[in-house]
Amino acid sequence: LSSLEVELATQEWRFLLSAIAFALLLCASGSCRYYQVSEGETGWTTGLRESGNVSLSLYGLAIGAGDYYRFTEADYNEVRVRERISASDGTLDTKERLLIEADVTEDVEVELEKKPGGQDYTLTVNESWPVAMYSQRSLDFMGKGIYNRDSFGNNLDFVAASFQRVADLKSERTCLQSLENAWFELQLNNTTKAVYVDRFMPNKTIEYDLYSLFEGEATFSYGQSDGRIPISESEERYAGRFQLQRGLLMSSLGRNFTQYDDYWLECCPLQQKNPFLVSEGD
Amino acid sequence: VISRTLSVPLLEAAGGAYLQRRGLLGAIFLVFVSMTLLHAAQGVLAEIRLSGGWQDGNLSVHAEVADDRGLGNVTFYILDEVGDVLWMEKRSVSGTRASLTFLWPVGMWRVSNGTHFAEPVLVSNSGDPGVSGSQLMAYYAPCLLGLSPKAQEISTLAYFDGTGRFHTLIDLSGKEYYRSPEMLRIENPRATFGSYAGSGSALQEGLSSLRFVWLNREKGMNTFPALLLNRSPIQRYALSLERIAAGPGPFLVEIEAEDQEGNKAVGSSGPWVPELNLTA
């Protein structure tokens, strides 16, 4: 809290003092931190950002006959996993692994800059609270019925699969999510409250693989956002007996495009992977 | 009605050559067909009289078998037009004469792992009704087990109950490779299947596979492509035995009688074509 206030105080931001609210607090446990930056009149906000210096490792298996219920939920700085499994009167074999690492050591940098000769301001929030989350589950069920839904979200990107009214289900699913950092930028006129720029640029990745064989109903969906704007989404529904296999890799570099130069691709591993790039002479 | 006897030297030569050529398959062949043929001895034996007809869509075959040396087993085969065995039923008999009726539901056997299947698979009825657990071993099918993709295959018998559920896998030396939850409960009521699956089952989910067998009475044995065991052991690897329709025919009936000394005789009848049941 004190570091943020001191830093902000040096930026001559008092013009917006009444409008912009900040919070950066330590959690009771001492290991987690959260903050939220908002501009009151325009409604602009970073949203509540919360994470901690934590790690979690969970693994195990269950095999047997009868009923089974499972609830899992975790959210570290908008990197989420949510699982619901409810199986009745059947035989089940499931193995799982959940690994989470999160770090909030770095302070969040908030800067407010007034452009000369007007009432235009630029507010930036530079957050480096990385999160890595790996979830793996294999599930094999035969019986009266199973409901199985899992969803993963990473700063407005998501992928989800659900199986309903399924009497026979075999699934293998892995999901690796990472968040390196996030960048917020707001440009507005303090008189008119007109927002010129509203950027949210997290450096994030979701890598998801699903193999399933089922008899019943299933839904698979995903969504990808550029900043706060959805740019790609899909939903599939199945009813019957299907083998469903999906692989998904969504990533966002989270770069501030004002820093791009003409050759920015050279710095990035995507250059080698991009099938649309051809070398000279091709 | 045709009755014929088997020439022992010819069978021995054929069986030996087959074993040389087929290796493991020969071992299975030994168990199911050739063993009895190789042991077939010495001369002519059983007298077999067949009669039959269609009853309610099933083929009913009546066999009168006589052998002064004492009867052992009588095996009933249904062959399709190219000689593939679609159905096989074996019965133990005693005395010098037997009067047997076989009912064939115009079906054959399919084995499935949930995603792929093989048909017509060679399957035989088995089990002594008085033995504990025998209801779980009503049928057996010979197969070659590959514990892993590059492992040497092992000749085994897969046992199924009367509803087609898979219960155990045993090799020719008696070694057991799998035990279903029901089988485990009978043999050890206090054992949990989870602990058994973790250490007791030799099969490896997603790696082990079974190649089932089909038999042609003229050409001998062959195997189907491998069925991968990619489901959990508690789901019996999704391995199941299913009776399916045999097709339009024609079909041939063979009755093979074996006496107490291992001598064999075969009687055949056919071709049989299922009656069309045309109703307005």
Side-chain angles (χ1 to χ4, degrees), chain B residues 31-42:
Chain B
V31 171
F32 286 90
V33 182
S34 295
M35 183 174 72
T36 50
L37 301 184
L38 286 169
H39 291 168
Q42 325 290 330

Side-chain angles (χ1 to χ4, degrees), chain A residues 61 63-65 91-93 95 140-142 168-170 172 211 213 241 243, chain B residues 113-116 181 185 193-195 197 205 230-235 237-238:
Chain A
L61 61 87
I63 182 168
T91 48
L92 176 82
D93 184 355
K95 301 177 186 68
D140 195 333
F141 174 84
M142 285 186 188
D168 185 353
L169 173 64
K170 161 85 174 172
E172 304 273 350
Y211 166 82
L213 178 68
R241 184 170 181 82
Q243 178 176 313
Chain B
N113 69 348
T115 55
H116 299 81
R185 201 171 302 129
F193 193 79
S195 59
E205 182 182 340
N230 58 0
R231 296 294 295 264
S232 165
I234 201 169
Q235 316 296 9
Y237 304 99

Side-chain angles (χ1 to χ4, degrees), chain B residues 171-183:
Chain B
D171 72 10
L172 300 183
S173 70
K175 181 181 177 183
E176 184 184 84
Y177 292 86
Y178 173 71
R179 192 179 289 178
S180 72
E182 291 80 5
M183 192 74 84

